[in-house]
Amino acid sequence: MTTIELTIHGMTCGGCSSRIERRLAGAPGVISAKVDLESTVGEFTFDETKIDIAEIKRIIDMLGFAAVEKG
């Protein structure tokens, strides 16, 4: 299991963060997805044998947002 934090750009309301959480929570290999609108940070716990960081970022991008690794 791996946990990462991503900064997510483009969120404007609680619906945005909820949409990202719901979509990623349903992705194979994602164990938990928590997105905080105020800090624009998403925390994702996942099974790296089933999904990788690049795929998580791709899903977020497909929803119309931009995700970058915190650092």
Side-chain angles (χ1 to χ4, degrees), residues 5-9 11 39-42 60 66-71:
E5 286 190 343
L6 299 173
T7 299
I8 303 170
H9 300 284
M11 296 188 298
S39 68
T40 69
V41 173
I60 294 169
V68 294
E69 289 183 60
K70 284 188 72 174

Side-chain angles (χ1 to χ4, degrees), residues 13-65:
C13 65
C16 295
S17 55
S18 294
R19 198 167 98 199
I20 295 167
E21 286 178 346
R22 282 193 311 272
R23 174 60 183 91
L24 279 164
V30 176
I31 297 155
S32 71
K34 298 175 189 166
V35 179
D36 183 73
L37 175 63
E38 190 173 315
S39 68
T40 69
V41 173
E43 181 180 281
F44 306 96
T45 302
F46 59 99
D47 178 345
E48 60 277 354
T49 65
K50 296 180 181 174
I51 193 168
D52 61 16
I53 295 169
E55 179 64 10
I56 290 171
K57 289 167 69 175
R58 188 186 71 75
I59 291 168
I60 294 169
D61 290 348
M62 286 178 55
L63 292 172
F65 307 100

